[in-house]
Structure formats: C-alpha cells, structure tokens
C-alpha cells in the first residue's frame, strides 16, 4: 500500500521504517529536510496515487491543525487523513467535520510504543467509520505488534484518541506506584540493594510488567537515579483523562493523584519523580533533566 507520512521525528521516522520493512511505499515529509523524502506537502500529495492516505504524526494542537488545514486544500474527495498524534478526541470530531465537508475521510489513531515501536510494533487504537478503517488495515497490520493483539477499531471518530488518553492515564498511575515503592525501599536502612529487589520482581510476581523491566534498565544505568532531577512533565493526556472523568462523574482517584504528583515535582526535587522521569525516558525517549550539583 502507498501512504504519505507527515512528521518524521522519534515516532514518525521509525514508523516509516517499519512500514517500508513490511513492503509498503511511504512518502515522508518533515520540516527538517534531512529527514524528508519530499520538499513540501504539495510534493507529498502529488507523489501519491488516488485515493490517497496521509498519516499525520506531529504534535497535538496548533501543529496538527496547521497540517490538516493545508491537507484540506490539497486532497480530493475520497482521500483520507489519519491523525496518529496525541490529539484530544474533541479535536478529532472537529477535524472530521471540516474534512468531511470536502469529501475527505478522517481517522484518528492512538499510537503507543514510543522509541521501541520499530522493533516491537505499535499498539493502535483507531476511531472512524468501518469502511475507511478497513481500507487502511494493511497499514495498521504492518505497524502493530506480531500476534493477535495490539490493534483495535475502538469505535467512531474520536474513539481512538479517547482510548489512548485513558491508556496514558493508567500509565501515569502505574508509574507513580513503582516510583512510590522505589522511594520507600530506598528510604529504609534494612534494604541495601533496591535495584536487585526491583529485578527480582521481573519473574513470578503479580506486578511484573514492561514498565518494571524499564525501571530495572534505568537503575542499571544509574543505581540510585542520582543523575536525574526529580522532575517529570505531563503530556496533557493525564489532565484530559481527569477532565473526562469529571464530565462523566467517574471516580479516578489513583490517576488523579498521579497527575497531581507530577505537579509536585515542579516545586521540589522529588525522589519519586526521578523514577517517573527515568521510565518516561526509557519507553518514550522523553527528555530528562540532570540533577543539580
């Protein structure tokens, strides 16, 4: 299958490679010319055969809106735009309406996998009408992990990004639990090898997970996380999850507390946030801040 890909950063660049490895033709555009296959969105669209499919992989908000506005003037009825960034689901509904007036299809795809996606595949949560989603299935099959899981058509437009938002809210709470446990183990005198305690949990325990494996990786690199400042940013999806919970009267005490813990990290050098920062760096390549000397 042929597809255009806009945004070739940490995720988009690896997605292009994974798609090509699966035999698909990918025409990529990025504002960084060293990454791009073409010099402009106009050239990208011209290189694609109709009906075209263009996957947008740029930061949520203004950047995504700018690209979609441009594509709306370049694409033709029957073409499709896929937003694979971390857009808010309410923006998906707006984009689908805007493009729909021009006869252009819209699909939203929540994507998880971070910097490991090229090797392991990307978990995909997709929203849109069935016919359009089915037409894109070869692309989704190439990007998803091997095996029966890792892909879902979650529902109508917005369902993909809403599902990914909830996924990230759960991720916040899981990371916070590991971070709190790590700080408590580090605090007591009786435990003198916290890293190996974490490593021992990787087999046979009910809390083993990929996040635990990444925590061990981080501790192997920095035994007591002394190189990191206890600061962890929030991407926005944690906030949106809590806001959606309020709108729907659904109690989310653990996820809400984990979001507030991120805010606390901005006020002081939080030991727990060292672990959260280390985990975000391990699975997503998110930036970390060095500890002050």
């Amino acid at each position: 299958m042929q597809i255009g890909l806009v945004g070739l950063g940490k995720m988009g660049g690896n997605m292009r490679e994974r798609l090509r490895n699966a035999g698909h033709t990918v025409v990529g555009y990025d504002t960084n010319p060293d990454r791009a296959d073409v010099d402009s969105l106009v050239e990208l669209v011209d290189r694609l055969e109709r009906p075209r499919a263009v996957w947008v992989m740029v930061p949520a908000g203004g950047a995504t809106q700018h690209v979609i506005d441009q594509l709306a003037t370049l694409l033709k009825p029957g073409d499709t735009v896929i937003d694979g960034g971390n857009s808010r689901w309410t923006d998906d509904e707006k984009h689908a309406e805007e493009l729909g007036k021009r006869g252009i299809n819209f699909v939203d795809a929540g994507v998880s996998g971070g910097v490991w996606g090229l090797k392991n595949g990307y978990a995909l949560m997709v929203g849109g009408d069935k016919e359009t989603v089915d037409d894109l299935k070869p692309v989704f099959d190439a990007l998803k992990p091997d095996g029966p899981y890792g892909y879902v058509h979650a529902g109508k437009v917005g369902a993909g990004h809403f599902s990914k938002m909830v996924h990230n809210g759960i991720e916040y709470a899981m990371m916070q639990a590991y971070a709190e446990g790590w700080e408590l183990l580090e605090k007591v005198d009786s435990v003198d090898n916290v890293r190996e305690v974490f490593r021992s949990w990787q087999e046979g325990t009910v809390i083993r997970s990929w996040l635990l494996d990444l925590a061990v990786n981080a501790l192997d690199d920095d035994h007591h996380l002394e190189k990191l400042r206890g600061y962890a940013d929030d991407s926005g999806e944690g906030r949106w999850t809590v806001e959606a919970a309020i709108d729907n009267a659904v109690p989310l005490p653990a996820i809400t507390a984990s979001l507030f813990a991120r805010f606390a990290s901005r006020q002081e050098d939080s030991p727990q946030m060292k672990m959260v920062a280390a985990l975000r760096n391990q699975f997503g390549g998110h930036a970390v801040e060095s500890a002050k000397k």
Side-chain angles (χ1 to χ4, degrees):
M1 184 172 175
Q2 193 181 56
I3 189 166
L5 183 56
V6 182
L8 302 170
K10 286 181 293 189
M11 296 253 313
N14 283 344
M15 289 169 66
R16 174 175 61 178
E17 186 174 347
R18 187 171 174 90
L19 285 168
R20 285 177 174 171
N21 289 343
H24 296 287
T25 299
V26 183
V27 181
Y29 171 71
D30 193 276
T31 53
N32 182 343
D34 294 335
R35 300 172 180 164
D37 303 314
V38 293
D39 295 328
S40 67
L41 280 179
V42 173
E43 186 179 352
L44 180 146
V45 170
D46 287 345
R47 289 266 296 270
L48 298 174
E49 299 174 2
R50 296 188 63 190
R52 307 176 184 94
V54 180
W55 189 302
V56 180
M57 205 69 189
V58 301
T64 295
Q65 185 67 59
H66 178 67
V67 172
I68 289 178
D69 286 345
Q70 289 184 281
L71 289 173
T73 66
L74 297 172
L75 297 175
K76 302 296 183 184
D79 293 342
T80 300
V81 172
I82 308 103
D83 179 8
N86 282 332
S87 294
R88 189 167 180 153
W89 80 97
T90 50
D91 289 343
D92 296 326
E93 296 166 354
K94 174 174 173 285
H95 294 152
E97 182 179 359
E98 291 170 349
L99 293 170
K101 291 176 180 178
R102 297 172 178 265
I104 301 168
N105 304 312
F106 179 82
V107 169
D108 60 290
V111 182
S112 182
V115 296
W116 298 83
L118 173 58
K119 176 182 177 182
N120 298 335
Y122 299 89
L124 302 171
M125 295 142 271
V126 177
D129 71 81
K130 185 177 185 304
E131 182 178 357
T132 305
V133 170
D134 286 349
D135 287 343
L136 296 166
K137 195 65 165 44
V139 170
F140 299 141
D141 286 342
L143 289 172
K144 69 177 283 296
D146 296 334
Y149 306 116
Y151 164 82
V152 62
H153 181 190
K156 61 185 180 181
V157 165
H161 280 144
F162 193 94
S163 300
K164 176 59 163 47
M165 178 196 72
V166 174
H167 165 282
N168 282 25
I170 294 169
E171 175 188 297
Y172 272 49
M174 291 175 67
M175 288 194 289
Q176 185 64 25
Y178 283 125
E180 291 177 8
W182 173 79
E183 182 181 1
L184 182 57
L185 287 166
E186 286 278 344
K187 188 74 173 180
V188 300
D189 293 333
S190 57
V191 180
D192 57 17
N193 200 340
V194 175
R195 178 180 60 181
E196 293 309 310
V197 170
F198 262 59
R199 197 188 309 280
S200 75
W201 293 344
Q202 289 181 278
E203 297 291 343
T205 72
V206 297
I207 63 167
R208 63 189 184 274
S209 71
W210 186 47
L211 279 176
L212 177 62
D213 296 340
L214 296 176
V216 173
N217 288 350
L219 292 172
D220 282 339
D221 293 338
D222 184 0
H223 197 158
H224 298 286
L225 303 183
E226 295 170 324
K227 300 175 184 177
L228 300 180
R229 178 189 167 205
Y231 173 90
D233 209 345
D234 69 285
S235 62
E237 289 177 300
R239 299 187 189 207
W240 301 342
T241 305
V242 172
E243 290 170 2
I246 293 169
D247 291 342
N248 291 278
V250 175
L252 300 184
I255 292 174
T256 302
S258 66
L259 173 64
F260 288 171
R262 301 271 182 108
F263 298 161
S265 80
R266 297 165 199 180
Q267 299 167 4
E268 58 183 319
D269 191 22
S270 166
Q272 294 172 20
M273 288 304 122
K274 290 178 183 283
M275 176 57 75
V276 173
L279 285 168
R280 294 180 82 242
N281 177 255
Q282 286 285 324
F283 71 74
H286 298 288
V288 296
E289 296 191 11
S290 299
K292 295 179 180 179
K293 296 182 179 179

